[in-house]
Amino acid sequence: MNHTVPAAKWLREYSLGTLQRDLLAAVVVTIMLIPQSLAYALLAGVPAEVGLYASIAPLMVYALFGSSRTLSVGPVAVASLMSATALSQVAAQNTADYLLAATLLALLSGLFLLLLGVLRLGFLANFLSHPVISGFITASGILIAFSQLKHLTGVTAQGDSLPELILSMLAGAESTNPYSLLLGAAVIIFLIWSRGAAVRFLQYFSLSENTAAMLVKAAPIIGVIATILIASGWDLEGKGVKLVGAIPSGLPPLVWPSFTLELIQQLLMPAIMISIIGYVESISVGKTLAARRRQKIDMNRELIGLGAANMASGFSGGFPVTGGFSRSVVNFDAGAETQMASVFTAFGIALAAMFLTPFLYYLPKATLAATIIVAVLSLVDFSILKKTWHYAPRDFVAVLTTIVVTLLFGVEAGVSCGVLASIVLFLYRTSRPHIAEVGLVEGTEHFRNIQRHQVHTLPQILSIRMDESLMFSNAAFLEDRMYAHIAGTPAVRHVILVCSAVNEIDWSALETLESINARLRAAGVYFHLSEVKGPVMDALSRSGFVQRLSGEIFFTQYQAFTTLSETLGSGPPAQWENR
Amino acid sequence: MNHTVPAAKWLREYSLGTLQRDLLAAVVVTIMLIPQSLAYALLAGVPAEVGLYASIAPLMVYALFGSSRTLSVGPVAVASLMSATALSQVAAQNTADYLLAATLLALLSGLFLLLLGVLRLGFLANFLSHPVISGFITASGILIAFSQLKHLTGVTAQGDSLPELILSMLAGAESTNPYSLLLGAAVIIFLIWSRGAAVRFLQYFSLSENTAAMLVKAAPIIGVIATILIASGWDLEGKGVKLVGAIPSGLPPLVWPSFTLELIQQLLMPAIMISIIGYVESISVGKTLAARRRQKIDMNRELIGLGAANMASGFSGGFPVTGGFSRSVVNFDAGAETQMASVFTAFGIALAAMFLTPFLYYLPKATLAATIIVAVLSLVDFSILKKTWHYAPRDFVAVLTTIVVTLLFGVEAGVSCGVLASIVLFLYRTSRPHIAEVGLVEGTEHFRNIQRHQVHTLPQILSIRMDESLMFSNAAFLEDRMYAHIAGTPAVRHVILVCSAVNEIDWSALETLESINARLRAAGVYFHLSEVKGPVMDALSRSGFVQRLSGEIFFTQYQAFTTLSETLGSGPPAQWENR
């Protein structure tokens, strides 16, 4: 790892061609990001301009420190939902306290990510298994879609979980505003059409597939412009349709936050969860895109990039940000080659914040809600349930737990239970490992499970293969199974424990081996090990177990079996008797 | 597992000889248990008679349901300390509420143990690793010894952790009662002498070693009698020495407990911890003794036996009980053959509760404190630190964490952190597994690490052995390491992943393998697996990965290496091109 910022490298190689491609990508992403940043601000429960603020400084800071060249940082759906959940626990929406808490949440997330990056703890994210993440994203998508129904219908509703959201919507169903609902439904239909049929429609007008695909990315902004015109032309505000309203013009303020210790305590856990989920989401899209161009993502540097971006968001009046999936893909497909594209995008959003806000007064909230609903529906994918059901029941249980808990109890409980379920199920499996009696495959030097293969065995030699590291969670299980095997085979004179799958023997297991050794010796049976790996052998030698073992440690199981077979007639070698 | 109670079996075979031996053991254990039950009541903060109550019904009930023939159930040191910690959080000592909470704690422990037994979840105790238990017992021993200094000195002191206990003792040091301290010190010296030199001293009077060893078990009761005589003869009460005082005579009451939900919530976690620690302590001594006589302990039946014993303790005004280490060994050595010895012991204690309590009025608390201190000092054993330091640093960290946290923050924090440390350290290791490049040991069919052995390799074939199951925590690590290996060896045409140590491939890892497969294929490299185990192969076949794999799955690594070596000249077989 060299110690300059990643940007230094690509800036040295920067050319006019790269500039042109980055600029084009920036235009496409800016057009996509304006409605997204407003919508995700709505989702997070902060004023619309906060969404714009979170799309300026963070992009520039990530461009400098991040290791992905094409990741598009900014507000994203899941992190915005998680922010809303966390913030609504400490303050009421549309208050100064809520806004202050939002910036603190971004700062805490940033600090935590920086800490992980500096301590090189990026590997921690690996404890979120893929199925748990998939399940969590799917359930979050559903929650987000339901949370937006209130803006679509104009009903006042609240809730962090599916039952709360549904009950609260039903309770207020009478106050549904028909204009708002109609407008929102129209935007949803338009956006869905633009994702599917629109590309073919545009190709009909002799546009190339690429150009057509790029043009349909403008569909959300077309929806925004069209509904602004409709809302101002037909005075929808007078008909009770909720609009975005007055947004202050200008660049983000520089915030020097002052907080109470209590608020920090309340927001710390949510900040950690938002950071980890955001990081995992970001690193997975970053890795995918980097792989396509044979570039490399450094996990710890990525943590520093995202941490710095969140710090920048906090200091400029924003809320938690991360690398967005769909936006990054658009950025990449539009030809972005370096993070300069993000810098240009930030300029675009800054211009919008300075000059476009007066026009946004008439933007119906239903339009933004429709944008969010269409965006998150693509996150919902239940196929992971079917796939894991067939492949690995353990993973299936983890996914199902994550999805059900997220929907019923909200995002924080969901992701905690998912991680917990993965770890507990894993520990459960290691506590009941697969243990097989093995025999020689005739004509080879290989040993296989006697129940799966036609193998050669001898009644005096019992070969047991343990398919797991020997450790505290399975030491007692191994002991019980060994004795059960031996009890059933009274002719046994030698027991060989085949350690080809044993990657570690911890202290608890070592004590168990000592006790098996002592007990077998008392019964006149020799205890041997075979196929012990280098690091395990080093540890056993250090412990003195090798000297106390009644039998031998053989390099290979084949050697163990043939050597012991030969001694059966003549009795054990003299050197064993001394032990 | 047959469904009658374990007692039915040994009762059928009961003989006069067994009766005699059980009776003798009962006499020895009763003499030992009277001072112990009073002392552990003092430690738990409950009145002296509660210690006697906890030594009657629980023994009889365990005799009926427990699977160990020689385990001596009753109050023990560590569980008593844990009870004191839990109870002092919900009520003040010497109040009716405190006593009520003690019986509830026993009931909750009993219920939890029964539940584990019925659900056959005995394996859960395996997650307490041996080093964590050793560390915890050692630290608890120190805490217990320090907690008794107040009774030894007559100083009023409080605290659940070492710093609290020391500070609180220092603060009250001025009020030390010299008579109390002198008496306690004398008892300690007598008891230590009786453990060491007394056997030789008695043998001097021509007693056999066995008889002498049995006689010294009476040392605590001799200390009790002697100090009762001293305290009543010299009016130590008038000199400020604290005495046990009036104890109600009679058999334990039948308690029908009535509790608030709040109290249950407060005591649930402590009850679970006391249950698990007590169970682990009990099962380890039970297994050791059973092994000596070739008997068997059924883990789930043991849970039911201990659960029923704790329920009995709760309903008869007692507090949490479990199988005690030293007492069980004495019972065993004194010749106990069945649980009838415990039934006789219970009768002995019942007689004491009915007729001896008036004499106990003059018993100084310092005598009981001295009994406890001498008993727990044998629990303190720091050698586990040295042993694990040499053998396994991971275990060392877990023990050290347990000891330090227990001493500094008390028993509950200590055992929680110990378990957590074991699990986190284990997960950390699985997240950074040992990965080795392997080559053929010439003249054999075996493959070994190229860095440890003289082996044969080919530049076109890269064989990588993963020494861990493939799963969420290490999927990313494997991917990074695979690419790093391949990047350094441009001549590679075939990559073989040797799966001899891979006991599972979970969904996260499967996705990683799919992505490695795709990326290698794009680079013109074939991806193969070898030595895949039966259950893993079954899962891979179900997932369809086998069809998508660019290469083959070979039965053995030797077969993979030789087959691929032969294709190097002629190009890959035709069937691979279709994939």
Side-chain angles (χ1 to χ4, degrees):
Chain A
M1 184 173 174
N2 66 62
H3 288 272
T4 57
V5 293
K9 185 149 182 272
W10 52 258
L11 274 173
R12 265 203 308 277
E13 302 159 357
Y14 211 72
S15 70
L16 190 66
T18 312
L19 176 75
Q20 286 171 339
R21 284 183 287 273
D22 280 349
L23 209 50
L24 175 69
V27 171
V28 176
V29 172
T30 304
I31 288 172
M32 187 178 177
L33 184 51
I34 292 174
Q36 274 196 1
S37 62
L38 299 172
Y40 294 145
L42 191 75
L43 174 56
V46 293
E49 69 270 17
V50 174
L52 295 173
Y53 297 166
S55 311
I56 302 175
L59 277 67
M60 297 193 177
V61 169
Y62 180 84
L64 199 58
F65 296 105
S67 73
S68 165
R69 295 209 177 170
T70 45
L71 191 74
S72 176
V73 170
V76 304
V78 176
S80 299
L81 173 70
M82 294 179 80
S83 299
T85 304
L87 296 173
S88 63
Q89 281 158 13
V90 299
Q93 275 194 22
N94 302 318
T95 62
D97 282 349
Y98 192 91
L99 213 55
L100 187 78
T103 57
L104 178 60
L105 197 60
L107 285 178
L108 289 175
S109 296
L111 270 178
F112 179 71
L113 290 166
L114 282 176
L115 197 73
L116 287 187
V118 170
L119 298 179
R120 312 185 66 74
L121 294 175
F123 78 91
L124 277 180
N126 297 337
F127 290 114
L128 274 172
S129 74
H130 298 198
V132 166
I133 297 167
S134 302
F136 178 71
I137 300 277
T138 289
S140 300
I142 295 171
L143 276 186
I144 293 171
F146 272 85
S147 77
Q148 294 310 301
L149 287 181
K150 63 179 175 196
H151 296 300
L152 209 63
T153 58
V155 168
T156 311
Q158 276 286 22
D160 294 328
S161 70
L162 202 56
E164 282 170 8
L165 285 168
I166 291 174
L167 290 176
S168 144
M169 280 302 300
L170 289 177
E174 285 175 13
S175 61
T176 300
N177 182 304
Y179 302 97
S180 183
L181 188 57
L182 206 67
L183 188 91
V187 176
I188 289 180
I189 291 166
F190 170 68
L191 289 177
I192 290 177
W193 172 79
S194 76
R195 296 200 152 203
V199 174
R200 287 193 301 281
F201 178 75
L202 289 171
Q203 282 178 285
Y204 186 75
F205 293 102
S206 309
L207 285 170
S208 79
E209 194 182 335
N210 262 347
T211 319
M214 213 55 74
L215 261 183
V216 299
K217 303 295 178 212
I221 201 108
I222 294 170
V224 165
I225 294 169
T227 54
I228 286 178
L229 293 176
I230 293 168
S232 61
W234 276 278
D235 181 28
L236 290 188
E237 192 170 23
K239 299 190 173 68
V241 173
K242 286 184 188 135
L243 305 181
V244 166
I247 303 178
S249 286
L251 291 174
L254 185 65
V255 177
W256 187 248
S258 64
F259 310 107
T260 63
L261 192 66
E262 197 200 342
L263 192 61
I264 293 180
Q265 283 173 341
Q266 286 172 316
L267 291 178
L268 194 61
M269 269 315 290
I272 290 177
M273 285 193 193
I274 293 171
S275 307
I276 293 178
I277 294 286
Y279 169 66
V280 168
E281 205 181 335
S282 190
I283 197 101
S284 71
V285 55
K287 269 191 179 173
T288 309
L289 297 180
R292 284 210 228 158
R293 291 206 186 134
R294 314 255 153 171
Q295 292 161 351
K296 209 172 139 48
I297 298 286
D298 177 318
M299 288 180 88
N300 293 304
R301 203 155 251 183
E302 200 54 20
L303 283 166
I304 291 174
L306 288 174
N310 272 293
M311 296 290 284
S313 187
F315 282 121
S316 62
F319 65 109
V321 295
T322 191
F325 191 85
S326 56
R327 218 160 49 224
S328 299
V329 173
V330 168
N331 191 36
F332 185 91
D333 288 345
E337 287 185 3
T338 73
Q339 280 292 336
M340 197 50 91
S342 284
V343 175
F344 295 143
T345 303
F347 277 112
I349 300 289
L351 290 175
M354 285 191 284
F355 306 112
L356 286 187
T357 51
F359 303 100
L360 295 174
Y361 180 95
Y362 286 102
L363 177 58
K365 287 191 173 177
T367 304
L368 294 178
T371 310
I372 295 179
I373 290 172
V374 175
V376 297
L377 284 183
S378 65
L379 300 180
V380 177
D381 175 13
F382 284 105
S383 72
I384 188 71
L385 279 176
K386 198 179 143 206
K387 287 182 206 157
T388 51
W389 171 261
H390 284 291
Y391 181 72
R394 198 152 67 73
D395 282 323
F396 173 80
V397 174
V399 185
L400 193 66
T401 307
T402 311
I403 292 180
V404 170
V405 175
T406 305
L407 290 179
L408 292 186
F409 303 100
V411 281
E412 289 177 5
V415 74
S416 309
C417 284
V419 172
L420 212 66
S422 298
I423 293 178
V424 168
L425 290 166
F426 167 62
L427 286 175
Y428 178 72
R429 188 185 60 78
T430 64
S431 80
R432 309 180 70 79
H434 183 244
I435 295 181
E437 187 181 338
V438 296
L440 182 65
V441 181
E442 298 270 12
T444 74
E445 298 184 1
H446 298 286
F447 285 74
R448 285 292 184 277
N449 190 342
I450 59 166
Q451 289 171 353
R452 283 180 175 256
H453 300 272
Q454 193 69 32
V455 292
H456 166 62
T457 56
L458 285 171
Q460 300 92 335
I461 301 176
L462 179 66
S463 303
I464 292 179
R465 195 187 67 209
M466 169 86 171
D467 285 354
E468 189 62 67
S469 289
L470 295 177
M471 46 179 233
F472 62 98
S473 64
N474 58 34
F477 185 78
L478 170 74
E479 193 171 11
D480 290 348
R481 287 293 298 272
M482 286 284 278
Y483 293 149
H485 264 289
I486 296 159
T489 47
V492 163
R493 297 276 296 135
H494 299 280
V495 172
I496 311 169
L497 184 64
V498 187
C499 299
S500 52
V502 174
N503 306 308
E504 198 205 4
I505 298 181
D506 78 358
W507 182 260
S508 305
L510 180 68
E511 287 188 348
T512 301
L513 289 183
E514 300 264 16
S515 112
I516 292 175
N517 182 44
R519 192 148 153 198
L520 289 183
R521 183 205 301 269
V525 177
Y526 293 98
F527 186 35
H528 313 268
L529 304 182
S530 73
E531 312 255 348
V532 179
K533 298 192 177 167
V536 175
M537 190 64 208
D538 293 346
L540 287 182
S541 305
R542 275 201 306 278
S543 75
F545 175 71
V546 179
Q547 284 77 49
R548 287 185 293 276
L549 188 66
S550 63
E552 297 273 327
I553 296 186
F554 294 96
F555 190 56
T556 69
Q557 167 62 13
Y558 183 69
Q559 201 183 319
F561 189 75
T562 47
T563 309
L564 295 176
S565 304
E566 285 157 16
T567 67
L568 285 178
S570 57
Q575 77 266 25
W576 295 357
E577 301 301 337
N578 305 327
R579 293 189 188 172
Chain B
M1 183 172 172
N2 66 63
H3 288 273
T4 57
V5 292
K9 185 148 182 272
W10 53 257
L11 274 174
R12 265 202 312 274
E13 301 160 358
Y14 211 73
S15 70
L16 190 66
T18 311
L19 175 76
Q20 285 169 340
R21 284 182 288 273
D22 280 349
L23 209 50
L24 174 67
V27 172
V28 176
V29 173
T30 305
I31 288 173
M32 189 177 175
L33 184 52
I34 292 175
Q36 274 196 1
S37 62
L38 299 172
Y40 293 145
L42 190 75
L43 174 55
V46 293
E49 69 270 19
V50 174
L52 296 173
Y53 298 166
S55 310
I56 302 174
L59 277 67
M60 297 193 174
V61 169
Y62 180 84
L64 199 59
F65 296 105
S67 73
S68 164
R69 294 208 176 170
T70 45
L71 191 74
S72 173
V73 170
V76 303
V78 176
S80 299
L81 173 71
M82 294 180 78
S83 298
T85 303
L87 297 172
S88 62
Q89 279 156 17
V90 300
Q93 275 196 19
N94 302 317
T95 62
D97 282 351
Y98 192 92
L99 214 52
L100 187 79
T103 58
L104 178 60
L105 198 60
L107 285 178
L108 289 176
S109 294
L111 270 179
F112 180 72
L113 289 167
L114 282 176
L115 197 73
L116 286 188
V118 170
L119 298 178
R120 311 184 67 72
L121 293 175
F123 77 92
L124 277 180
N126 297 337
F127 290 114
L128 273 173
S129 73
H130 298 198
V132 166
I133 298 168
S134 303
F136 178 70
I137 300 275
T138 289
S140 300
I142 295 172
L143 276 187
I144 292 171
F146 272 85
S147 77
Q148 294 311 301
L149 287 182
K150 63 179 174 195
H151 296 301
L152 210 63
T153 57
V155 169
T156 312
Q158 277 285 21
D160 294 328
S161 69
L162 202 55
E164 282 170 8
L165 286 168
I166 291 176
L167 288 177
S168 145
M169 279 302 299
L170 289 178
E174 286 175 11
S175 61
T176 300
N177 183 304
Y179 302 98
S180 184
L181 188 59
L182 206 66
L183 189 89
V187 177
I188 289 180
I189 290 166
F190 169 68
L191 291 176
I192 290 177
W193 172 79
S194 76
R195 295 199 153 202
V199 174
R200 283 194 305 280
F201 178 76
L202 289 171
Q203 282 178 286
Y204 186 76
F205 293 101
S206 308
L207 286 170
S208 80
E209 193 181 336
N210 261 347
T211 319
M214 214 55 74
L215 260 184
V216 299
K217 304 295 178 210
I221 201 109
I222 294 171
V224 164
I225 295 169
T227 53
I228 286 178
L229 293 176
I230 292 169
S232 60
W234 276 277
D235 182 27
L236 290 188
E237 193 171 22
K239 298 190 175 68
V241 173
K242 287 183 186 137
L243 305 181
V244 166
I247 304 179
S249 285
L251 290 175
L254 186 63
V255 177
W256 187 249
S258 66
F259 309 106
T260 62
L261 192 66
E262 198 201 340
L263 192 61
I264 293 179
Q265 283 173 342
Q266 285 172 316
L267 291 179
L268 194 60
M269 269 316 291
I272 290 176
M273 286 192 194
I274 292 171
S275 308
I276 293 179
I277 293 286
Y279 169 66
V280 168
E281 203 180 338
S282 190
I283 197 100
S284 72
V285 57
K287 270 191 177 173
T288 308
L289 297 180
R292 283 210 227 158
R293 289 203 187 136
R294 314 256 153 171
Q295 292 162 351
K296 209 173 137 50
I297 298 288
D298 178 318
M299 287 181 88
N300 293 303
R301 205 155 249 181
E302 200 53 22
L303 283 166
I304 291 174
L306 288 175
N310 272 292
M311 297 290 283
S313 187
F315 282 122
S316 62
F319 65 110
V321 295
T322 191
F325 191 85
S326 55
R327 216 158 53 223
S328 300
V329 172
V330 168
N331 192 37
F332 186 92
D333 288 344
E337 286 186 5
T338 74
Q339 280 293 336
M340 197 50 91
S342 285
V343 175
F344 295 142
T345 303
F347 276 113
I349 301 289
L351 289 175
M354 286 191 284
F355 305 113
L356 287 188
T357 51
F359 303 101
L360 295 175
Y361 180 93
Y362 286 101
L363 177 59
K365 288 190 173 176
T367 304
L368 294 178
T371 311
I372 296 178
I373 290 173
V374 175
V376 297
L377 284 182
S378 66
L379 300 178
V380 177
D381 174 13
F382 283 105
S383 72
I384 188 71
L385 279 176
K386 197 179 145 205
K387 288 183 205 155
T388 52
W389 170 262
H390 283 293
Y391 182 72
R394 198 153 67 73
D395 282 322
F396 174 80
V397 173
V399 186
L400 192 66
T401 306
T402 311
I403 293 181
V404 170
V405 176
T406 305
L407 291 180
L408 292 186
F409 302 100
V411 282
E412 289 177 6
V415 73
S416 310
C417 283
V419 172
L420 212 66
S422 298
I423 294 177
V424 168
L425 289 166
F426 167 61
L427 286 173
Y428 177 73
R429 189 184 62 78
T430 65
S431 80
R432 308 181 70 80
H434 184 243
I435 295 180
E437 187 181 339
V438 295
L440 182 64
V441 180
E442 296 272 13
T444 75
E445 297 185 3
H446 298 286
F447 285 74
R448 286 293 184 276
N449 189 342
I450 58 166
Q451 289 171 353
R452 283 181 175 256
H453 300 272
Q454 194 70 30
V455 291
H456 165 61
T457 56
L458 286 172
Q460 299 93 334
I461 301 176
L462 179 65
S463 303
I464 293 179
R465 194 186 68 206
M466 169 85 172
D467 285 353
E468 189 62 67
S469 288
L470 295 178
M471 47 179 233
F472 62 98
S473 64
N474 58 34
F477 184 78
L478 170 74
E479 194 172 11
D480 290 349
R481 288 292 299 270
M482 287 285 276
Y483 293 151
H485 264 291
I486 296 158
T489 47
V492 164
R493 296 277 296 135
H494 300 280
V495 172
I496 312 169
L497 184 64
V498 187
C499 299
S500 50
V502 174
N503 306 309
E504 198 207 6
I505 297 181
D506 79 357
W507 182 261
S508 305
L510 181 68
E511 286 188 348
T512 301
L513 289 183
E514 300 264 15
S515 111
I516 293 174
N517 182 43
R519 192 149 153 195
L520 290 182
R521 184 205 301 270
V525 177
Y526 293 99
F527 187 34
H528 313 269
L529 304 182
S530 72
E531 311 257 347
V532 178
K533 299 192 175 168
V536 176
M537 190 65 207
D538 293 347
L540 287 181
S541 304
R542 277 201 306 278
S543 75
F545 174 71
V546 179
Q547 284 75 51
R548 286 186 294 276
L549 187 65
S550 63
E552 297 273 327
I553 296 186
F554 294 96
F555 190 56
T556 67
Q557 167 62 13
Y558 182 68
Q559 201 182 316
F561 190 75
T562 48
T563 309
L564 294 176
S565 302
E566 285 158 15
T567 67
L568 286 178
S570 58
Q575 78 265 23
W576 295 357
E577 301 302 334
N578 304 327
R579 292 188 188 169

